[in-house]
Amino acid sequence: MNAVLAIALVAVAVVATLVVLTRDNPAQTIVLAFYGLVLSVLLVLLQAPAVALSQIVVGAVAVPMIVLLVLAKSRGAE
Amino acid sequence: MSERSRRLVFVVSALGFGALLLWGMAGLPDFGLHESAYARLLDSTTVARRHVTDVVTATVFDYRGIDTLGEEFLLFTAAVGAILLLREQRGEVDRPPDDEGLGRVAVPMSAAVRFVGVALIGPVVVVGTSLVAHGHLSPGGGFQGGVALAATPFLAYLIGEFRALDRSTPWPLVETSEALGAAGYVALGILGLVAGVAYLENVLPLGSAGSLASGGTILALDVAAGLAVCGAVVVLLREFLHQTLIVRRQSADGRPAR
């Protein structure tokens, strides 16, 4: 395992922990999107560019967008 | 169920799950050794047999085309389900979107967000189209490109108002593209049956490997998936946005409640 890969693996673990530790929902969504990006970098390093692209569009765009919309809806109902 | 029996059920199933997980992980190949016999076979034969340079796309739209058919209809069903569930129901009324409601001043959009939003729309369209069109040549394909293309109407929403998004997006075209993409995938599969071979078998001319027009049904299925995915994601997000911003439960006096 080379150094870059080790850094990427540690970064994924650190950002994933940050997602859990961020308790404020809208902020957590942004951290979750950032986690999606970090994970996609790891996938590129592991020579899986096709999976990395799916990870970017789903993990960094689609899921955070849907979560933010749900948050907006549930706040409106309060 | 009491607190104690619930904890017992959890501990037993967690232990069982953990044991199975460890057992399965012990049998995995070493980190970085990812060349299975199947991968080696596909790597060595795909370019010669299917005339495409991206083995992943060949696997998705040819060797495993029937699995992708299921995946595509999964998204299609999700979009249709969202349309059905989020339609305006009895006791719900439309009200003006938050950003133009009575007595509300829309948060002024900063010039930076507007600039970045406008500047991004063109490149996102180009990247999305390129991902779909080159799915058989380089990483990417209908799924990733379709979602990228679907992001453009929401960039328009980001820099404007919901009404602007609603008016500027050709909804019949979006819904038609979703339906055409899904139906086209099925129809391309039937092409195999017409030619007298298996469903979804690659029967179109393969062209020369590395050129844009190559891969036979792989490219055609890739474009069909791109259309279906783009349409489905736009429809899904539109339904969510509409539900979030417009529809409100009717209160007793008939006025929309907050």
Side-chain angles (χ1 to χ4, degrees):
Chain A
M1 208 192 322
N2 61 40
V4 183
L5 199 53
I7 293 171
L9 279 168
V10 171
V12 167
V14 168
V15 180
T17 316
L18 280 181
V19 175
V20 181
L21 292 181
T22 313
R23 303 313 298 181
D24 175 47
N25 289 142
Q28 191 179 34
T29 315
I30 305 302
V31 183
L32 178 69
F34 183 66
Y35 169 71
L37 274 182
V38 175
L39 190 57
S40 70
V41 171
L42 175 68
L43 290 168
V44 170
L45 292 175
L46 292 174
Q47 300 181 21
V51 187
L53 273 169
S54 306
Q55 174 56 39
I56 289 175
V57 295
V58 173
V61 180
V63 171
M65 197 126 103
I66 290 172
V67 172
L68 278 178
L69 286 173
V70 170
L71 283 177
K73 172 73 181 171
S74 53
R75 298 209 160 174
E78 264 166 22
Chain B
M1 207 185 281
S2 74
E3 186 75 34
R4 197 158 160 257
S5 50
R6 275 168 66 164
R7 201 165 290 163
L8 192 72
V9 170
F10 168 74
V11 168
V12 170
S13 45
L15 282 177
F17 176 73
L20 282 174
L21 193 67
L22 284 178
W23 184 31
M25 281 165 77
L28 284 177
D30 286 343
F31 187 82
L33 282 179
H34 42 67
E35 278 199 15
S36 64
Y38 188 49
R40 261 197 305 277
L41 178 74
L42 288 181
D43 264 347
S44 56
T45 57
T46 299
V47 178
R49 297 186 62 163
R50 292 293 188 262
H51 297 202
V52 295
T53 48
D54 185 13
V55 181
V56 176
T57 305
T59 310
V60 168
F61 290 117
D62 192 326
Y63 303 123
R64 292 272 179 224
I66 194 86
D67 295 5
T68 312
L69 178 75
E71 262 175 68
E72 205 182 296
F73 273 84
L74 191 142
L75 198 56
F76 183 78
T77 316
V80 173
I83 293 174
L84 266 178
L85 281 174
L86 298 182
R87 75 191 186 280
E88 204 169 289
Q89 292 173 11
R90 206 174 301 154
E92 284 184 340
V93 283
D94 277 13
R95 51 144 205 180
D98 273 346
D99 45 13
E100 52 183 59
L102 269 180
R104 274 187 74 108
V105 184
V107 182
M109 189 60 64
S110 79
V113 172
R114 260 180 209 278
F115 175 77
V116 172
V118 171
L120 270 180
I121 288 180
V124 168
V125 171
V126 173
V127 167
T129 314
S130 163
L131 278 175
V132 176
H134 296 99
H136 56 313
L137 301 175
S138 53
F143 179 71
Q144 296 95 333
V147 182
L149 283 174
T152 45
F154 299 96
L155 281 171
Y157 168 63
L158 190 66
I159 58 178
E161 284 96 31
F162 181 68
R163 289 259 189 248
L165 166 77
D166 216 19
R167 289 203 194 105
S168 65
T169 310
W171 296 114
L173 200 68
V174 171
E175 283 160 10
T176 311
S177 123
E178 184 198 1
L180 267 184
Y185 200 105
V186 176
L188 283 162
I190 294 175
L191 220 57
L193 295 182
V194 173
V197 287
Y199 184 73
L200 275 174
E201 195 157 330
N202 200 337
V203 289
L204 291 178
L206 290 175
S208 62
S211 70
L212 194 59
S214 64
T217 52
I218 294 175
L219 178 59
L221 290 172
D222 175 59
V223 172
L227 279 176
V229 169
C230 176
V233 173
V234 172
V235 166
L236 265 176
L237 288 175
R238 189 263 313 248
E239 289 300 323
F240 281 134
L241 272 175
H242 185 260
Q243 180 76 8
T244 308
L245 298 173
I246 309 270
V247 181
R248 280 296 171 271
R249 201 174 290 280
Q250 210 163 9
S251 60
D253 57 357
R255 287 212 320 264
R258 266 294 300 167

